[in-house]
Structures are given as C-alpha cells and as structure tokens.
Amino acid sequence: MNSHLLNRVGWLPTICWSILIPALLAICSTQVNAQMLKRVALSKAERNNGFFMKFGYYPKDDFADCGLVLKKDGTYTYWQHTCLSGGRSEGRWTVRQRILTLESTLQQDNIPVLLSDHDGVFVDSSKIAIVRNSRNEALRDVFVLVNHDTVRCLPTIGLCVGTFEKISRVKVVFENGMSSSWIPVEAGRNRVSLVVQTEEIIAFYIVMHDRRFKSKGRYLTFL
C-alpha cells in the first residue's frame, strides 16, 4: 500500500469521529431542548435561600436532564446534562405575558479578560503568555488572536499561525467559539500576559441570549 493511501486510511478514524461526535451531541441536546420543564416543589431551605421557582426535566433513561432555578432577586441558574456532556448558565430572568426570558451573564463575545502587570509563563520565544483564569490556573484550550483575526496563537505550545512585529491588540478565543472583546495593548509592550476574570469553566458554559420559555400551568416549554 503506498504512502498516499496510508495517509488517507490513517485519517479515517478522525473523520468518523468528527462526524459522529457532533451528531450525538445534537441528538442529546435536542432530547433536552424538546422537553418541557416541570415545576418542582421548593424545600424550606431553598425558600430561605431566596429561591422563587424551580423546574426540572429528569427522564427515566438518564440520557439527558436539565434544571432551572429562578431566584427572587431576578437571577437564575440553569444546568443541563446530556449523554456526552454537561453545562451550566447563570444570569437574569424576566417574565412578560407568561413568557420567561433568560439572559446569561456571559455572552458569546464578552468574556472578561484583562492584561496582567505580572509576568506570566512564556513558552520558548513566544510573546504571548499562557492564559490563566482568576484562580491562577493555566487554560490550555484557548487561542489568542493578535492584531487581526488571521493571526492566531496557541500560547501553551508557543506557536502562532501568521506573523506580527508589534502587538496593538489581542483577543482570547475559546474552543467553543466564545471570546473576549478586542483588548488594546499600549505602544511599546512587546510581551502580553492575559487573565480571564471569571471562575466559570467556559467550555461548559451555556449562553442564553433572549432565550424564551412559555409558561403553561406547572410547565415551561422551550420556544
């Protein structure tokens, strides 16, 4: 078998998984999103902790479940577990004409990130330090864009796709597509260290933007 054919065969498992995994995720997520959330009675402790309402979906097959807590102060917590993954979200809730609307604190492009005045960990000759979170933990699944969308760096291995002579702005991008806004870098700064200002695990965060549910009796239905 020639090397060209071997290369094609070698890619087969990767191709299969790249198709299979998104398909399974879509099936599992659809299973959750297609269901109704049923109102659950609150315990005394939950009422004392400011809970207003609690809803859940817990199927017998255990392939997927989710829950939603609405608090009296106008905040919510939502969680979802599927056969392959899990996630959570928190933010603000409002109700108008029996329609519940959720708006998460974190959105697709507003992850809070700041330039750090402390020197970080720079791999080899990289000018971008390994990105860290507010617990000072290294984040290994993030890219940093430098100046333009076309210059993409992976600080954990010290490599960049594209070149740059100076750094005028940077953006942190996570594997799930969520990102910070563009962060300006002052002139003359030739190395950058970045800190994500949240303890949320972004890979598992569920963005809610104008996410609506219809209320009917003791049930909420995804719209």
Side-chain angles (χ1 to χ4, degrees):
M1 186 179 292
N2 62 42
S3 59
H4 180 67
L5 187 54
L6 276 171
N7 288 336
R8 291 182 63 186
V9 173
W11 277 103
L12 227 95
T14 302
I15 294 172
C16 289
W17 279 111
S18 68
I19 296 172
L20 180 61
I21 290 177
L24 287 174
L25 285 171
I27 292 171
C28 295
S29 297
T30 300
Q31 186 175 19
V32 171
N33 291 336
Q35 301 299 322
M36 292 188 295
L37 299 179
K38 184 178 180 180
R39 187 171 175 179
V40 180
L42 297 177
S43 67
K44 182 179 180 180
E46 289 172 332
R47 289 194 296 271
N48 290 339
N49 283 329
F51 284 31
F52 178 61
M53 288 185 182
K54 182 178 178 181
F55 299 85
Y57 165 63
Y58 308 101
K60 295 180 180 179
D61 56 25
D62 292 328
F63 284 143
D65 64 77
C66 63
L68 172 65
V69 170
L70 305 179
K71 301 193 78 172
K72 296 176 183 178
D73 63 1
T75 63
Y76 78 85
T77 300
Y78 174 88
W79 67 91
Q80 175 179 309
H81 299 96
T82 70
C83 51
L84 290 177
S85 66
R88 69 180 300 276
S89 176
E90 62 180 22
R92 307 290 301 180
W93 65 271
T94 56
V95 173
R96 184 175 182 181
Q97 296 180 346
R98 304 183 70 85
I99 300 297
L100 170 69
T101 302
L102 304 183
E103 193 76 15
S104 58
T105 301
L106 299 182
Q107 293 293 316
Q108 195 69 22
D109 57 359
N110 78 339
I111 306 302
V113 177
L114 293 178
L115 289 170
S116 174
D117 292 328
H118 301 287
D119 220 16
V121 177
F122 296 84
V123 177
D124 296 333
S125 60
S126 174
K127 294 182 179 181
I128 310 295
I130 295 175
V131 180
R132 306 188 76 81
N133 64 13
S134 56
R135 294 189 297 269
N136 202 35
E137 299 167 334
L139 302 179
R140 305 192 177 277
D141 59 345
V142 301
F143 294 91
V144 177
L145 307 186
V146 180
N147 299 338
H148 308 285
D149 292 334
T150 54
V151 181
R152 180 174 293 241
C153 299
L154 186 57
T156 52
I157 61 174
L159 292 178
C160 293
V161 175
T163 59
F164 55 92
E165 294 182 0
K166 61 181 181 178
I167 304 173
S168 59
R169 62 177 187 167
V170 290
K171 177 193 284 191
V172 175
V173 180
F174 294 80
E175 279 189 331
N176 62 359
M178 295 180 70
S179 73
S180 69
S181 58
W182 281 103
I183 304 164
V185 177
E186 63 269 24
R189 189 166 185 167
N190 58 5
R191 298 210 304 176
V192 168
S193 181
L194 297 159
V195 179
V196 178
Q197 301 294 298
T198 177
E199 294 187 4
E200 290 284 356
I201 302 175
I202 304 301
F204 302 134
Y205 195 84
I206 300 171
V207 175
M208 299 285 192
H209 177 57
D210 197 29
R211 191 68 168 91
R212 298 182 181 187
F213 301 77
K214 184 177 181 180
S215 173
K216 185 176 181 180
R218 297 183 60 83
Y219 293 89
L220 288 177
T221 304
F222 291 86
L223 293 178

